[in-house]
């Protein structure tokens, strides 16, 4: 099997060009306190949560708090096509269901799905493998509640994208039923940062210093383990994967390397690179046309593999 490479997005209109430039400029200024390694973790979390209010959740999509096993989740949507376990980004130190409502609500609405956003434990209070353990428990709870694996998917962005891959590897190694497919948005799959560039032109959100801080806070001296850096683990025997990334982000190389590794693995995968787009641009669904197109691709991918 191999990883199919695709160029995502469409030719932007003048209005979309102006909107994209405005969003990029706003992110580069407003998100700085949330991704400064010297900022207290509490401030990083508060700032990210506050800025998430500038995104646009989909209208008419219900949500409620519940639990999967011991893991709190926000259940978004009540669609009947299938269920997505969503693992949010934030470098394992911040983020939560609230910060990702724009993405998860639009995904739920487009795919006619229920999206269970896991509120997994965060570092440094709960270091590796706490986040992975919580993702594992939440997935097994879905199985215990009667969700058929062929109607399940796992998805995640950034750190949650790496967590998605690590969860699939653990489930495979344990012989547990695997989900029908998985989605990864700008996944962070190598916490060693060995091949992460210092800077990338157009990067609007992340920086290498903060990534190093987050990697140390979460995984410490276990950063090179497959559980923390799943790119370094075995990629054979995983369900179909859809990977989406922007060209203008410091973690784009993680997706490139993952696509190359999947070319050599027993796994069916698609890798979509969106020119001129930033880290987890799908959070701007409902405003940015490319974000809507990307989530429409996710909808089609889910429906292709859900039975």
């Amino acid at each position: 099997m191999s990883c199919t490479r695709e160029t995502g997005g469409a030719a932007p209109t003048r209005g979309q060009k102006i909107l994209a430039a405005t969003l990029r400029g706003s992110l580069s200024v407003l998100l700085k306190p949330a991704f400064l390694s010297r900022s207290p973790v509490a401030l990083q979390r508060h700032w990210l949560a506050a800025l998430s209010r500038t995104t646009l959740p989909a209208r008419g999509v219900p949500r409620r708090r519940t639990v999967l096993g011991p893991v709190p989740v926000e259940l978004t949507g009540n669609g009947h096509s299938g269920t997505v376990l969503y693992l949010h980004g934030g470098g394992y130190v911040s983020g939560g269901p609230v910060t990702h409502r724009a993405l998860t609500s639009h995904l739920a609405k487009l795919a006619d799905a229920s999206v269970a956003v896991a509120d997994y434990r965060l570092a440094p209070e709960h270091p590796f493998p706490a986040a992975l353990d919580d993702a594992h428990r939440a997935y097994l709870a879905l199985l215990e509640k009667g969700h058929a694996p062929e109607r399940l998917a796992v998805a995640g962005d950034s750190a949650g994208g790496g967590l998605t891959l690590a969860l699939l590897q653990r489930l495979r190694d344990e012989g547990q039923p695997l989900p029908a497919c998985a989605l990864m948005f700008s996944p962070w799959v190598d916490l060693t940062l060995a091949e992460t560039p210092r800077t990338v032109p157009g990067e609007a959100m992340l920086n290498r210093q903060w990534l190093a801080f987050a990697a140390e806070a979460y995984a410490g001296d276990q950063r090179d383990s497959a559980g923390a850096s799943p790119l370094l683990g075995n990629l054979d025997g995983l369900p179909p994967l859809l990977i989406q990334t922007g060209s203008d982000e410091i973690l784009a190389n993680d997706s490139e390397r993952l696509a190359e590794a999947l070319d050599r693995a027993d796994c069916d995968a698609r890798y979509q690179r969106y020119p001129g787009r930033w880290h987890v641009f799908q959070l701007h669904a409902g405003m940015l046309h490319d974000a809507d197109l990307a989530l429409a691709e996710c909808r089609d991918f889910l429906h292709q593999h859900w039975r």
Side-chain angles (χ1 to χ4, degrees):
M1 297 185 185
S2 64
C3 182
T4 302
R5 289 164 173 77
E6 305 167 0
T7 299
T13 63
R14 183 173 181 273
Q16 282 291 305
K17 288 180 179 179
I18 294 172
L19 174 62
T22 302
L23 289 172
R24 185 193 297 273
S26 299
L27 288 171
S28 64
V29 173
L30 296 176
L31 273 174
K32 281 185 177 179
F35 297 116
L36 281 178
S37 57
R38 64 178 180 268
S39 296
V41 171
L43 174 61
Q44 295 180 32
R45 294 171 181 169
H46 174 77
W47 201 267
L48 190 62
L51 285 180
S52 69
R53 299 191 185 101
T54 65
T55 58
L56 293 178
R59 294 181 178 179
V61 178
R63 60 178 183 266
R64 62 183 177 88
R65 298 289 293 188
T66 184
V67 294
L68 287 174
V71 182
V73 301
E74 183 171 272
L75 190 61
T76 302
N78 53 11
H80 304 292
S81 294
T83 299
V84 179
L85 174 62
Y86 195 89
L87 306 171
H88 67 80
Y92 297 103
V93 300
S94 62
V98 172
T99 60
H100 286 67
R101 279 177 179 164
L103 196 163
T104 56
S105 63
H106 282 280
L107 179 61
K109 189 171 186 176
L110 277 170
D112 185 32
S114 296
V115 179
V117 190
D119 197 2
Y120 59 82
R121 291 171 292 170
L122 300 175
E125 300 93 331
H126 304 284
F128 174 80
L132 181 55
D133 287 344
D134 284 356
H136 183 256
R137 291 174 180 133
Y139 180 82
L140 293 185
L142 285 171
L143 295 181
E144 291 168 2
K145 288 179 176 291
H147 291 267
E150 58 268 23
R151 298 287 294 279
L152 283 176
V154 180
D157 67 278
S158 195
L163 194 55
T164 294
L165 189 59
L167 172 61
L168 296 176
Q169 290 168 330
R170 178 184 280 193
L171 294 171
R172 176 206 58 202
D173 292 346
E174 292 176 345
Q176 297 284 357
L178 293 171
C181 59
L183 311 171
M184 289 181 280
F185 307 111
S186 303
W188 188 20
V189 290
D190 183 2
L191 272 60
T192 71
L193 304 181
E195 298 189 40
T196 303
R198 292 285 174 184
T199 59
V200 171
E203 170 62 67
M205 296 174 62
L206 303 180
N207 61 80
R208 201 175 189 279
Q209 293 79 9
W210 183 81
L211 290 171
F213 154 76
E216 174 64 26
Y218 176 58
D221 59 6
Q222 299 186 75
R223 282 174 287 178
D224 60 352
S225 68
S229 295
L231 176 61
L232 308 182
N234 180 7
L235 299 174
D236 290 331
L238 301 180
L241 308 175
L242 175 60
I243 306 156
Q244 295 180 340
T245 193
S247 64
D248 299 355
E249 57 171 302
I250 197 170
L251 290 181
N253 194 46
D254 275 36
S255 291
E256 294 284 346
R257 294 169 59 211
L258 177 57
E260 292 172 2
L262 288 166
D263 275 334
R264 304 186 294 271
D266 178 20
C267 178
D268 185 21
R270 291 171 60 193
Y271 170 45
Q272 298 178 336
R273 184 180 176 96
Y274 285 73
R277 294 296 169 250
W278 48 87
H279 187 62
V280 198
F281 64 92
Q282 296 87 346
L283 283 165
H284 296 288
M287 293 187 288
L288 188 68
H289 186 48
D290 274 359
D292 295 334
L293 289 176
L295 292 186
E297 291 279 358
C298 294
R299 172 202 61 206
D300 295 345
F301 187 79
L302 290 171
H303 290 180
Q304 176 188 350
H305 293 285
W306 276 340
R307 299 193 302 275

